[in-house]
């Protein structure tokens, strides 16, 4: 389970994206500017590849408020994905040797 303490501070998120992984699921949090203000964008995808090389159709996304509550909500959303799609994450490392970029 991903914990809030696993994610770096709001001050860090104001400057750059944060990436991590847990049990076959990779994730990324970043601040994005929208017409109605800054939002926290979250994305999850299966291992083994990084955000840039993973096809868009394999990523799941959500947006949250860009504040501490938003980080807490993003962590909860990522944990929901971790639980609901556990077979996807468990099977994500299969075929690493046969996959090339």
């Amino acid at each position: 389970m991903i914990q809030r303490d696993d994610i770096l501070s709001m001050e860090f998120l104001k400057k750059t994206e944060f990436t991590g992984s847990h049990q076959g699921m990779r994730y990324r949090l970043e601040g994005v500017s929208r017409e109605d203000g800054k939002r926290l964008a979250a994305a999850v995808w299966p291992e083994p590849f990084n955000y840039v090389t993973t096809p868009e159709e394999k990523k799941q996304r959500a947006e949250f408020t860009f504040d501490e509550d938003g980080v807490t909500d993003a962590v909860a959303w990522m944990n929901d994905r971790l639980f609901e799609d556990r077979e996807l994450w468990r099977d994500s490392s299969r075929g690493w040797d046969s996959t090339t970029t």
Side-chain angles (χ1 to χ4, degrees):
M1 184 172 198
I2 302 165
Q3 303 293 320
R4 169 58 186 102
D5 292 344
D6 296 334
I7 310 301
L8 293 179
S9 69
M10 287 302 301
E11 291 303 313
F12 181 89
L13 291 171
K14 288 178 183 177
K15 296 176 183 174
T16 191
E17 72 277 350
F18 177 78
T19 60
S21 65
H22 187 73
Q23 297 180 351
M25 181 184 82
R26 296 198 183 231
Y27 56 88
R28 174 178 164 141
L29 298 173
E30 67 178 318
V32 293
S33 295
R34 300 285 185 237
E35 288 182 15
D36 60 344
K38 196 161 191 173
R39 303 281 293 168
L40 181 65
V44 297
W45 66 95
E47 290 182 339
F49 301 114
N50 66 22
Y51 181 81
V52 173
T53 57
T54 299
E56 286 300 315
E57 64 270 10
K58 292 193 175 193
K59 297 174 188 169
Q60 299 178 49
R61 301 174 185 277
E63 286 191 6
F64 305 91
T65 57
F66 194 78
D67 56 19
E68 191 59 42
D69 288 341
V71 175
T72 301
D73 292 343
V75 168
W77 176 80
M78 291 187 296
N79 282 321
D80 287 347
R81 304 286 63 76
L82 187 64
F83 175 74
E84 291 176 12
D85 298 326
R86 63 184 164 269
E87 289 180 20
L88 174 64
W89 317 127
R90 185 190 68 220
D91 295 340
S92 67
S93 63
R94 292 185 191 186
W96 281 22
D97 294 335
S98 64
T99 307
T100 59
T101 58

